[in-house]
Amino acid sequence: MPKNDAATDAEIRFFDAAEPHAASAGHVSKETVNLCKKDRKDISPGAFCLLLTVFLAVLILIEFFFAYLPYRDLEVLESSLGEAQQQYEQLQSSMSDYDAVRDDYRKYNYEKYDKTIVDREDILDLLEVAVFPMGKVLTLNISNNTITLSLSGVLNTDIDVMQKGLREHALVQNVIISRTSLVGDEATVAMTIILKDAEGGKN
């Protein structure tokens, strides 16, 4: 059975430091064991630098992900919160005189406003349905509840149809149409449409 390498490197000696001849006579009063000790190898500079680099890299990554990124996100949130707070304060400041503005608006827009005037959007809807498809609009004027306009290219047979359709509309009180010229089957007409008051009409 082979012996251990460490055992082969060890040398065991027994002697008596006080009596040099006692060992030969078989009398031993003190024992000393000398073992062969191998020297420990130190780490090389290259390996040390490599380990130091890896350690520093890991440390930097930890600081980046667990310290810098959360702090940066916190700064972004604080900045957004600050902007929102500033906008809110500006809105509050702009609304500080809301009551005064509302009173002025009511004063100048409602107190003396003629409520009998027909809504202009309703007038436009009327013209788009009953008038505009009949010809080309040359002139158009709306004053209070009276519409005056002229059309060209109106078929002679459509004049009575247009006049009848306008008179039957809920907004219209009266229609006056006059033909100013006729070229072939197409005519140019002048028209006055008188609307009902808004309080007693469609609105």
Side-chain angles (χ1 to χ4, degrees):
M1 183 174 182
K3 296 182 179 180
N4 187 278
D5 293 340
T8 58
D9 293 338
E11 181 181 356
I12 301 175
R13 295 178 183 178
F14 300 93
F15 63 93
D16 187 353
E19 299 179 2
H21 301 287
S24 58
H27 300 285
V28 178
S29 62
K30 186 176 181 181
E31 297 180 354
T32 300
V33 178
N34 294 332
L35 301 178
C36 179
K37 181 180 179 182
K38 294 184 178 180
D39 295 333
R40 184 179 61 185
K41 294 182 179 180
D42 296 332
I43 186 172
S44 65
F48 175 77
C49 293
L50 179 60
L51 291 176
L52 180 61
T53 302
V54 172
F55 173 77
L56 292 177
V58 172
L59 182 62
I60 291 173
L61 289 175
I62 292 175
E63 290 184 353
F64 178 79
F65 285 105
F66 294 97
Y68 172 74
L69 288 183
Y71 179 75
R72 187 190 63 179
D73 294 340
L74 180 61
E75 284 187 334
V76 172
L77 291 176
E78 289 180 347
S79 177
S80 300
L81 180 61
E83 293 177 358
Q85 180 67 25
Q86 184 178 2
Q87 293 176 358
Y88 175 76
E89 292 176 354
Q90 291 176 353
L91 181 61
Q92 288 290 91
S93 176
S94 64
M95 294 179 62
S96 60
D97 58 346
Y98 173 77
D99 293 337
V101 173
R102 181 187 58 188
D103 293 340
D104 290 341
Y105 182 80
R106 289 178 175 176
K107 177 180 179 180
Y108 294 107
N109 290 278
Y110 287 97
E111 287 184 356
K112 297 181 180 180
Y113 182 75
D114 188 355
K115 297 180 180 180
T116 63
I117 295 177
V118 179
D119 192 316
R120 270 29 188 172
E121 290 186 0
D122 292 337
I123 294 176
L124 182 59
D125 291 339
L126 168 66
L127 296 176
E128 287 181 342
V129 172
V131 178
F132 293 164
M134 298 298 180
K136 180 180 179 180
V137 178
L138 299 177
T139 61
L140 174 63
N141 181 60
I142 302 175
S143 177
N144 294 330
N145 286 341
T146 301
I147 307 170
T148 57
L149 70 157
S150 60
L151 296 173
S152 65
V154 181
L155 293 177
N156 195 37
T157 56
D158 288 341
I159 296 177
D160 292 338
V161 176
M162 179 172 56
Q163 186 174 17
K164 182 177 183 295
L166 287 170
R167 284 179 175 174
E168 293 176 351
H169 198 280
L171 290 179
V172 179
Q173 179 177 337
N174 193 16
V175 180
I176 303 172
I177 297 179
S178 60
R179 186 174 59 193
T180 59
S181 65
L182 179 63
V183 179
D185 294 334
E186 294 183 352
T188 300
V189 298
M191 184 185 313
T192 300
I193 305 173
I194 301 174
L195 305 174
K196 298 176 183 178
D197 291 346
E199 291 181 342
K202 180 181 177 180
N203 296 342

